[in-house]
Amino acid sequence: MIAHDSHVPLYIQIKDYIRLNIQAGVFPENSRIPSERQLAEQFQVSRLTVSKAINELIQEGLLHSHVGKGTFVSSTKIEQELRTLTSFTEEMIRRGQRPSSRVLYAAVEPASSEVTKALLLPSGTKIIVLRRVRLADNQPVALETSAIVAAICPGIVDKHDFSQESLYQVLREECGIRIAYARQTFESRQATPEEQEALHLDPHTPILGITRVTYNAQEQPIEYVRSAYRGDRYKFNAILRYGE
Ligand code: GLP
């Protein structure tokens, strides 16, 4: 229920209510949620307040509306199998969604100590830093910061438009890099203010923090990535075999 005397704006409370009901399966996938009028009556708020909450959830991809039919719960979270190493672009195409990115930062600079440690580099090594909001069908789903050893694929920052192009495709096709495997860690955490803004998150939305070190066929670490995936839009699956 919502609290009229709370410092949390009413529309945020209504968003949380709808989101929690989706997560709990009370409003199942593809089902119609109660109308604006019903929600406004239920919570004793104006339809404008309900409409603001619903519109933001539509923006975030959790709901969609059909003119004349109502507002529906969008299909499931993006489910990613942890079996093969894929790029964001490949994963989205496999799912039938359109990948794109918003490039927040792209530059060549000396590696930070975090990056030199992860990629086993001498200090001062030049790296390409690429920070992108990754979009699925124009909806932001992750914020990724990749660090690549600049010498292995020089000049790509100036030559390529990473709002549309795939980094792994450029590494493969232009620089002949054979990506072999990656080591990834996952942790749930709170979104930073930058992540909240980039991913259009409410303060309560959980984040899945993923750190990846990617290796080439010669087993050299070539990429270090820090990512924040929207916890409400992503799900990872793994097959675990007993005794192996
Ligand atoms: C995934 C990985 C990142 C990698 C990216 C490349 O999102 N988690 O480590 O940098 O794919 O994606 P793309 O080739 O689409 O630019």
Side-chain angles (χ1 to χ4, degrees), residues 80 86-101 132 134-135 144 162-170 172 229 234:
Q80 191 169 327
T86 50
S87 71
F88 182 83
T89 302
E90 289 161 345
E91 192 58 35
M92 288 306 123
I93 291 172
R94 192 184 62 77
R95 292 178 48 81
Q97 292 189 287
R98 198 179 77 79
S100 64
S101 303
R132 294 175 290 175
R134 313 303 312 258
L135 310 160
E144 289 195 316
F162 287 109
S163 67
Q164 300 302 325
E165 289 182 74
S166 153
L167 174 63
Y168 279 12
Q169 192 175 354
V170 169
R172 192 173 55 238
Y229 280 72
Y234 257 89

Side-chain angles (χ1 to χ4, degrees), residues 52-88:
K52 187 166 160 72
I54 288 178
N55 283 336
E56 287 204 1
L57 290 169
I58 290 174
Q59 289 293 315
E60 291 171 22
L62 258 68
L63 299 175
H64 58 274
S65 65
H66 283 308
V67 181
K69 288 191 182 156
T71 306
F72 294 80
V73 178
S74 296
S75 52
T76 45
K77 294 181 175 184
I78 296 169
E79 257 185 76
Q80 191 169 327
E81 296 287 341
L82 294 174
R83 224 183 301 185
T84 46
L85 192 156
T86 50
S87 71
F88 182 83

Side-chain angles (χ1 to χ4, degrees), residues 105-109 127-130 157:
Y105 187 78
V108 177
E109 59 187 38
I127 52 158
I128 297 160
V129 178
L130 190 56
V157 166

Side-chain angles (χ1 to χ4, degrees), residues 154-162 165 174:
I156 56 170
V157 166
D158 301 322
K159 276 187 272 174
H160 293 277
D161 173 10
F162 287 109
E165 289 182 74
E174 189 163 323

